Amino acid sequence: AVGGGTGSGLGALILERIAVDYRKKSKIGFEIYPAPNISTCIVEPYNAMLSTHWLLDHTGVSVVLDNEAIYAICQKQLDTDRPSYKELNMVIAKVISSMTASLRFDGELNVDLG
């Protein structure tokens, strides 16, 4: 998540280090951007803007996940009035797993992106 505290700051530093150590490898970032109406902290949009600069410099591809949209998917598709972090993380994990399957498995249907 790029909106808050340790996650965005430490994540940016780790990503910078990975970019320096593995320059020739392509890097894909999955970023969860905060939503103003379900925000837990008032400075989340500011943190997200600062983190975006690092992400543009150190990743080849950035996949943006909208926190509010994930919340709405959990409410509508999972029929949950107030989704828990477990349910939100489950949706995020499925998205990331689906998008990186071709990088992790060989096969005719999977294109080698690595």
Side-chain angles (χ1 to χ4, degrees), residues 28 30 93-105 113:
I28 301 174
F30 293 89
K94 286 185 179 187
V95 168
I96 293 172
S97 176
S98 299
M99 293 186 75
T100 60
S102 63
L103 300 172
R104 295 179 287 119
F105 302 110
L113 299 175

Side-chain angles (χ1 to χ4, degrees), residues 32-91:
I32 302 168
Y33 276 80
N37 59 347
I38 56 173
S39 178
T40 58
C41 180
I42 196 155
V43 294
E44 278 186 345
Y46 179 72
N47 288 340
M49 290 308 299
L50 291 174
S51 296
T52 300
H53 172 73
W54 288 91
L55 295 169
L56 292 173
D57 287 344
H58 299 299
T59 58
V61 175
S62 288
V63 178
V64 176
L65 303 172
D66 179 21
N67 202 18
E68 187 174 4
I70 295 168
Y71 199 85
I73 289 169
C74 286
Q75 286 178 324
K76 293 175 184 169
Q77 301 298 324
L78 300 178
D79 293 326
T80 307
D81 292 334
R82 185 135 171 87
S84 66
Y85 286 122
K86 179 182 175 185
E87 292 162 333
L88 296 170
N89 287 335
M90 181 183 65
V91 171

